[in-house]
Amino acid sequence: MTVRMRPVLAALPAYVPGRNVPGSIKLASNENAHGPLPHVLDRITAAAAEANRYPDTNSSELLRALASTFGVGAEHLVVGCGSVSLCQQLVQATAGHGDEVIFGWRSFEAYPIITAIAGAEAVRVPLRDQVYDLPAMAQAVTDRTRLVFVCNPNNPTGTAVPGVQLTEFLDQVPSDVLVVLDEAYREFVTDEKVQDGTGLLERYPNIMVLRTFSKAYGLAGLRVGYGIAADPAVAMAVRQTQIPFAVTHVAQAAALASLEPEAKRQLDERVAEVVAERTRVTDGLRAAGYQLPDSEANFVWLAEGPAEQGGIDAAAFGAGCEERGLIVRAFAGAGVRITIGTAAENDKFLAAATELRG
């Protein structure tokens, strides 16, 4: 006799992480090439000595620090095992069998997976010109819709919707539908027209903003993210769906150190370096004949399409990069995402891309 499992598991899409190939440069996972900020490493080392103790399951000290940083009450905040964990908890808290979760596509690969796990139906709304099509998403909302993800900037395209379009969209979404503004890459945004979601919390009671320490802060391996809810009841629902001790003591200590005043200057310098390299890589690709959208994240996107129109064959491009010692993230039939690395790594990538262009 075979143990019976939920039928949904057979059709569950798998999350495919960026591969590590020994000896190759990995530009596939949107990791920060520079690691944690210097003083944060000292806090990580100190916290590791207490690994025999359970962490604070409520992340109380980190919540207080975040509350001070954003000027909100701690009851509006939640901390989780990376922002992806909070995404799953939000789906679990709002949607089940017969309900719908809407998001643009292509977008963060975890969205359809966590929706299926909850037993809800994923509604994928195609991007328009590699950007979230918010008018189409507003039209897709039905009385079965429980949650909408807006990944801004979007992973994997790096594109972001301007604030005017976002507020027009939020004005159309029913107040009993939760809108999650997934802003994992917010620190890399330079376009002033792109709205900071935290500035909308007082205006829209049905939104939650997600952020992470994985990207700009270089703590991807420690898994710590946070969310700010307009309505404290939403934050409470997330806490109710979280497993005990979800965020380790080391992760909490590292995140706390990353919020200290001395970290702000170091973070700004690091982000400025990534943005400068992002511009250089974008300009180099365009000079080589590729067409790509402006990115507001720490990666760039090359879309599938005819070579004469600046497009690529995603699978072939990914394989060609790997042959040249570079691992990028290829989405067959859609495009390729390339993380911004160090200057030397980016030089090697641009040389490979130019060669592949012929």
Side-chain angles (χ1 to χ4, degrees):
M1 181 179 293
T2 302
V3 175
R4 287 180 292 181
M5 302 295 178
R6 292 173 61 203
V8 68
L9 297 181
L12 198 66
Y15 183 84
V16 182
R19 295 184 302 115
N20 282 305
V21 177
S24 295
I25 295 171
K26 184 184 178 187
L27 302 176
S29 296
N30 298 343
E31 298 155 329
N32 194 314
H34 303 287
L37 299 171
H39 79 284
V40 176
L41 283 173
D42 295 333
R43 303 299 178 81
I44 290 173
T45 302
E50 301 177 13
N52 58 309
R53 303 295 184 184
Y54 283 110
D56 173 8
T57 192
N58 297 315
S59 303
S60 304
E61 192 175 357
L62 180 53
L63 282 178
R64 287 193 294 271
L66 288 166
S68 176
T69 299
F70 289 97
V72 299
E75 69 275 12
H76 292 266
L77 283 153
V78 290
V79 174
C81 184
S83 57
V84 65
S85 174
L86 297 174
C87 287
Q88 179 167 7
Q89 291 169 242
L90 285 162
V91 173
Q92 291 174 326
T94 58
H97 181 71
D99 298 327
E100 295 176 343
V101 175
I102 297 176
F103 45 85
W105 196 254
R106 179 170 289 271
S107 193
F108 184 30
E109 288 180 275
Y111 295 157
I113 300 172
I114 60 181
T115 300
I117 290 173
E121 179 181 344
V123 179
R124 298 171 174 84
V125 178
L127 304 182
R128 175 180 294 181
D129 297 327
Q130 309 300 327
V131 183
Y132 259 59
D133 188 347
L134 294 185
M137 289 178 66
Q139 292 180 359
V141 174
T142 71
D143 58 2
R144 295 170 55 201
T145 304
R146 296 293 175 268
L147 184 148
V148 179
F149 283 112
V150 178
C151 193
N152 202 41
N154 182 42
N155 175 16
T157 62
T159 55
V161 294
V164 172
Q165 289 184 23
L166 182 58
T167 53
E168 288 177 349
F169 168 73
L170 292 172
D171 287 338
Q172 297 177 66
V173 177
S175 60
D176 62 348
V177 173
L178 180 64
V179 178
V180 178
L181 305 180
D182 189 348
E183 298 185 342
Y185 301 93
R186 173 65 208 182
E187 289 83 1
F188 301 106
V189 173
T190 57
D191 186 347
E192 295 181 354
K193 296 191 296 295
V194 179
Q195 174 73 51
D196 182 330
T198 62
L200 299 172
L201 290 166
E202 292 187 4
R203 180 173 172 183
Y204 298 99
N206 62 325
I207 69 171
M208 186 169 198
V209 178
L210 298 185
R211 301 278 178 87
T212 184
F213 288 95
S214 293
K215 309 304 179 184
Y217 291 94
L219 300 179
L222 292 183
R223 313 308 305 128
V224 55
Y226 60 96
I228 312 173
D231 184 350
V234 175
M236 176 58 72
V238 175
R239 295 189 198 101
Q240 290 174 310
T241 57
Q242 188 170 73
I243 62 171
F245 312 115
V247 184
T248 69
H249 177 63
V250 174
Q252 291 180 44
L256 270 168
S258 296
L259 291 174
E260 292 175 357
E262 66 181 279
K264 180 68 166 61
R265 177 186 56 81
Q266 296 173 335
L267 180 68
D268 289 346
E269 290 175 353
R270 169 178 295 179
V271 167
E273 181 179 342
V274 172
V275 168
E277 282 297 296
R278 180 182 74 194
T279 299
R280 187 172 73 89
V281 170
T282 299
D283 291 345
L285 288 169
R286 287 173 175 163
Y290 294 97
Q291 293 293 320
L292 65 158
D294 291 331
S295 173
E296 295 295 328
N298 68 331
F299 53 86
V300 295
W301 173 254
L302 295 176
E304 182 100 5
E308 59 271 19
Q309 296 178 18
I312 60 167
D313 179 311
F317 186 91
C321 284
E322 184 167 349
E323 290 171 359
R324 291 161 176 80
L326 295 148
I327 306 301
V328 296
R329 188 62 176 273
F331 300 88
V336 172
R337 187 190 69 196
I338 306 100
T339 304
I340 300 301
T342 65
E345 291 170 342
N346 298 332
D347 284 342
K348 186 168 183 178
F349 166 71
L350 285 173
T354 300
E355 186 176 327
L356 288 168
R357 190 68 179 167

